[in-house]
Amino acid sequence: MFRRTFWFSTGVAAGVWATTKVNRKLRQLTPESLAATAANKALETGARLKDRAVGFALDVRDNMARREAELEEALGIHEDPELPAPRRYAAIENNRSNPTYVEAPTYSYNRNEDH
C-alpha cells in the first residue's frame, strides 16, 4: 500500500511539474510576450551602444585636446589670440554712435495687400 501511495504521489508531482513547465513556456511564446522580450533586448542593446559611443566620443575628445596641445607647443602658441569683432557688427556700432545714422525703416510684407 505504501508503494502505491509513493508512486501515485510521485506521478502527481511529476505531472504538476510538467504542466507548470509547459504553461510557462506557452506564456513565453505568446505574441505579447515575444514583443515585450524583443523590446527589452532592443533597449538593452541601445543602452549598451550609447555607453560605448559616449566612451568613444570622450576618448576622441581627450586625444584631440592632447594633440592640439602638442601642436601648440610645437608652433610656440601659448596664449589665446584676441579675435577681432566681426566687421558688420563693428560697422553698425560705429554708425550708431554717429549722430547722422538713421536706421532704415522696416516694412511688413503682407501678400494680401497686393491684391
Side-chain angles (χ1 to χ4, degrees):
M1 178 79 173
F2 182 71
R3 277 176 148 191
R4 287 183 187 172
T5 306
F6 170 77
W7 287 112
F8 178 75
S9 58
T10 303
V12 168
V16 168
W17 177 80
T19 304
T20 305
K21 284 290 242 185
V22 167
N23 285 336
R24 191 175 299 154
K25 187 53 97 173
L26 286 175
R27 263 187 263 119
Q28 286 178 353
L29 296 176
T30 60
E32 295 85 13
S33 178
L34 290 174
T37 303
N40 287 339
K41 295 271 186 190
L43 289 174
E44 290 172 8
T45 303
R48 228 178 311 125
L49 287 175
K50 179 183 172 190
D51 291 343
R52 288 183 182 174
V54 168
F56 177 73
L58 291 175
D59 288 344
V60 168
R61 189 173 297 149
D62 291 342
N63 289 333
M64 183 176 63
R66 187 178 311 120
R67 180 65 179 147
E68 187 175 336
E70 289 173 3
L71 289 173
E72 286 176 355
E73 184 179 330
L75 295 174
I77 302 172
H78 299 291
E79 59 186 46
D80 292 334
E82 185 70 31
L83 296 176
R87 291 181 186 178
R88 182 168 187 262
Y89 296 123
I92 290 172
E93 291 301 320
N94 288 339
N95 282 339
R96 285 191 180 158
S97 63
N98 187 351
T100 60
Y101 174 74
V102 178
E103 271 196 42
T106 57
Y107 299 102
S108 66
Y109 178 71
N110 188 350
R111 292 183 64 206
N112 294 328
E113 291 176 0
D114 294 341
H115 301 289

